Amino acid sequence: MPLIKYGQYLTYPDGNPAADASFPVMLLGGNVLVPTFTDKAGTTPLTNPVLTDGDGLLTFYAAPGVYFTDISGTFFHYVVDAAETDPAWPGTFIHTQASASTVWTVAHHFGVEPSVTVLVSGAAVEAEVSHTSDETLTITFGASTAGVAYLRR
């Protein structure tokens, strides 16, 4: 299977670009560095932790999966999806709400109001989304709900 390109500008919580910085790329839920590459064929390995460029752009090729890194104590998720074209879903943040609640509070640190897709038991559902700031939003349901929210810039 060909590898999928991932690219996203990373910023620190204070809004400054994470320029010329080194970030470990790991599978969500794990603590082992995953193989990353500079090309779609996977012939040229890329050192992991991966370095951002002078503008904070993190770019790598990897097998489809859900990856994460930590920036100053904030976890960032990377969805590398084979169903998407190249590059795969840049600017995606995944919030998993494991315990059911009527209000989910999501700190995404995008600096803009992202679009939101909510899945419950794998199906898209309607919910009230309130952008409380450019860094945070709430998702409100009529009853306690657990699930996943996909946020995209």
Side-chain angles (χ1 to χ4, degrees):
M1 168 186 289
L3 301 175
I4 308 298
K5 184 177 183 181
Y6 177 83
Q8 179 176 340
Y9 288 95
L10 299 180
T11 59
Y12 292 108
D14 65 4
N16 287 316
D20 301 314
S22 177
F23 293 100
V25 177
M26 297 172 279
L27 276 174
L28 184 62
N31 61 358
V32 177
L33 298 175
V34 298
T36 55
F37 299 89
T38 62
D39 62 316
K40 189 174 201 103
T43 57
T44 308
L46 179 65
T47 302
N48 189 359
V50 178
L51 291 174
T52 58
D53 70 7
D55 295 319
L57 178 62
L58 178 73
T59 304
F60 60 88
Y61 285 86
V66 179
Y67 304 101
F68 80 98
T69 195
D70 173 54
I71 300 176
S72 297
T74 300
F75 288 104
F76 284 82
H77 297 93
Y78 316 132
V79 178
V80 179
D81 186 342
E84 296 293 320
T85 58
D86 212 15
W89 291 3
T92 301
F93 178 81
I94 302 171
H95 172 79
T96 301
Q97 185 72 33
S99 59
S101 178
T102 56
V103 178
W104 302 358
T105 301
V106 182
H108 52 78
H109 304 293
F110 277 157
V112 297
E113 294 181 0
S115 66
V116 179
T117 302
V118 178
L119 301 179
V120 174
S121 299
V125 298
E126 294 290 322
E128 181 183 329
V129 176
S130 299
H131 297 276
T132 55
S133 75
D134 286 343
E135 305 281 319
T136 307
L137 60 85
T138 59
I139 304 170
T140 305
F141 301 90
S144 289
T145 304
V148 178
Y150 289 87
L151 286 63
R152 294 185 185 90
R153 287 189 220 219

